[in-house]
Amino acid sequence: MKQGIFSIKENTQLTPTTWRMVLAGDTSAVTAPGQFINIRLDGHFLRRPVSVNDVKHAEPYTGEGLGTGNDEGAVTIIYKVLGQGTEEMTKMPAGTKLDVLTGLGNGYDLSDAGDRPLLIGGGVGIPPLYLAAKELIKEAKSRGMDREVTVILGFNSSEEIYYADEFEELGCRVTVATADGSEGVKGFVTDAFRVLSPIWNFTHFYTCGPEPMLKAVYEEVYKGAGISGQMSFEERMGCGFGACMGCSCRTVTGYKRICKDGPVLRTEEILW
């Protein structure tokens, strides 16, 4: 974990309730997809935890060749307006300085992905999967590996859809599910999985989203189809780094803190 002052470079609206913010600063503590940052907002006692959607690390000038190098990192987050704090964030202009804790949480272990990983995201659980997909594809290319990354994105309706194009631009195979059937597969992410599972023999899955979705994915993909995976949990947090024990959950090996020991837990250790 590292504390630093970040400057807003971009704060743009993606959907009626979803925004993307790019923050410039020291990103060296962000080391794995699935980690999150914790933002301090004036007038609010608790910080706001938000998953890392993308990260660009600083590249200091080495003195070789031309150019000055990039000596400033940037972290991208996607947040949904859920209350007064996030509503205030939507009004913050470029140049605003924020006190941010970075490098929080354990993140996904990509070494288990295999050659046909499946990424399943719902709502504001989608952002960390983008960085996971980006790293999975980057690693496969560096090793000359033929890897097919499949992504299932779940929304309530078509007006809430975001980042489907960005996943496709990475080279992912993308399927969208909407609860009202306004676009893609009608239903939930598990309905989309039933369509795809007879076609693709998935090797491992990564998921993030609201707890009802995670439980449905656990039953359908892990218990039903027998595919092991890693699940990132959304939880209200007090401190965000394991001191208060406010976000503890019970696992097969005892209680774990979502902010410190998670937010990613493996399917084999989860108790519902």
Side-chain angles (χ1 to χ4, degrees), residues 127-181:
L129 297 176
Y130 177 79
L131 183 55
K134 187 176 181 179
E135 291 299 314
L136 285 169
I137 291 171
K138 177 182 176 181
E139 183 214 16
K141 288 181 178 179
S142 69
R143 295 170 53 192
M145 177 183 180
D146 185 16
R147 173 176 279 161
E148 295 282 352
V149 179
T150 301
V151 180
I152 298 175
L153 306 177
F155 306 91
N156 288 318
S157 65
S158 59
E159 72 171 5
E160 296 182 4
I161 295 174
Y162 68 92
Y163 258 58
D165 292 341
E166 283 80 355
F167 276 102
E168 288 184 344
E169 288 170 3
L170 288 179
C172 301
R173 184 188 303 108
V174 180
T175 296
V176 169
T178 52
D180 65 359

Side-chain angles (χ1 to χ4, degrees), residues 24 37 42 47 53 62 92 109 117 132 157 168 221 251 254 259 266:
I37 66 174
D42 291 341
R47 291 175 179 261
N53 168 244
T62 61
M92 293 178 176
D109 181 354
S157 65
E168 288 184 344
V221 183
T251 72
C259 68
R266 293 180 177 271

Side-chain angles (χ1 to χ4, degrees), residues 118 120 203-207 217 221-222 227-231 267:
L118 171 64
I120 307 173
T203 51
H204 194 74
F205 77 89
Y206 302 88
T207 186
V217 170
V221 183
Y222 175 58
I227 305 169
S228 63
Q230 300 170 43
M231 316 186 83
T267 48

Side-chain angles (χ1 to χ4, degrees), residues 254-267:
Y255 281 91
K256 289 192 173 183
R257 300 157 294 180
I258 292 298
C259 68
K260 181 72 173 180
D261 307 310
V264 179
L265 300 177
R266 293 180 177 271
T267 48

Side-chain angles (χ1 to χ4, degrees), residues 6-264:
F6 282 67
S7 175
I8 296 178
K9 294 297 184 183
E10 175 190 327
N11 193 17
T12 56
Q13 190 169 10
L14 299 178
T15 75
T17 59
T18 308
W19 293 66
R20 175 175 58 205
M21 180 182 286
V22 180
L23 296 161
D26 183 358
T27 62
S28 59
V30 181
T31 58
Q35 289 184 308
F36 64 96
I37 66 174
N38 222 354
I39 303 173
R40 179 183 178 183
L41 299 177
D42 291 341
H44 297 273
F45 180 69
L46 297 179
R47 291 175 179 261
R48 266 48 183 181
V50 189
S51 298
V52 173
N53 168 244
D54 201 1
V55 63
K56 180 184 69 174
H57 292 299
E59 299 173 357
Y61 177 54
T62 61
E64 299 176 0
L66 301 175
T68 59
N70 165 36
D71 59 358
E72 185 176 50
V75 61
T76 301
I77 61 172
I78 293 176
Y79 63 96
K80 187 174 183 178
V81 179
L82 297 172
Q84 184 180 357
T86 45
E87 176 66 32
E88 291 173 6
M89 287 173 61
T90 68
K91 298 177 174 62
M92 293 178 176
T96 301
K97 304 292 184 181
L98 292 173
D99 183 318
V100 182
L101 299 178
T102 61
L104 300 172
N106 59 350
Y108 294 112
D109 181 354
L110 303 185
S111 65
D112 295 324
D115 56 0
R116 289 179 302 279
L118 171 64
L119 280 59
I120 307 173
V124 288
I126 290 169
L129 297 176
Y130 177 79
L131 183 55
K134 187 176 181 179
E135 291 299 314
L136 285 169
I137 291 171
K138 177 182 176 181
E139 183 214 16
K141 288 181 178 179
S142 69
R143 295 170 53 192
M145 177 183 180
D146 185 16
R147 173 176 279 161
E148 295 282 352
V149 179
T150 301
V151 180
I152 298 175
L153 306 177
F155 306 91
N156 288 318
S157 65
S158 59
E159 72 171 5
E160 296 182 4
I161 295 174
Y162 68 92
Y163 258 58
D165 292 341
E166 283 80 355
F167 276 102
E168 288 184 344
E169 288 170 3
L170 288 179
C172 301
R173 184 188 303 108
V174 180
T175 296
V176 169
T178 52
D180 65 359
S182 53
E183 188 163 334
V185 176
K186 182 177 182 178
F188 304 110
V189 292
T190 47
D191 295 299
F193 173 75
R194 293 188 198 107
V195 174
L196 298 177
S197 58
I199 305 171
W200 302 103
N201 182 25
F202 299 116
T203 51
H204 194 74
F205 77 89
Y206 302 88
T207 186
C208 184
E211 190 165 310
M213 188 205 85
L214 294 183
K215 187 172 184 180
V217 170
Y218 178 90
E219 294 295 333
E220 183 78 25
V221 183
Y222 175 58
K223 296 295 288 289
I227 305 169
S228 63
Q230 300 170 43
M231 316 186 83
S232 181
F233 285 78
E234 300 172 353
E235 188 70 49
R236 289 191 64 85
M237 299 177 185
C239 66
F241 47 84
C244 70
M245 302 297 291
C247 59
S248 297
C249 68
R250 192 165 64 95
T251 72
V252 295
T253 56
Y255 281 91
K256 289 192 173 183
R257 300 157 294 180
I258 292 298
C259 68
K260 181 72 173 180
D261 307 310
V264 179

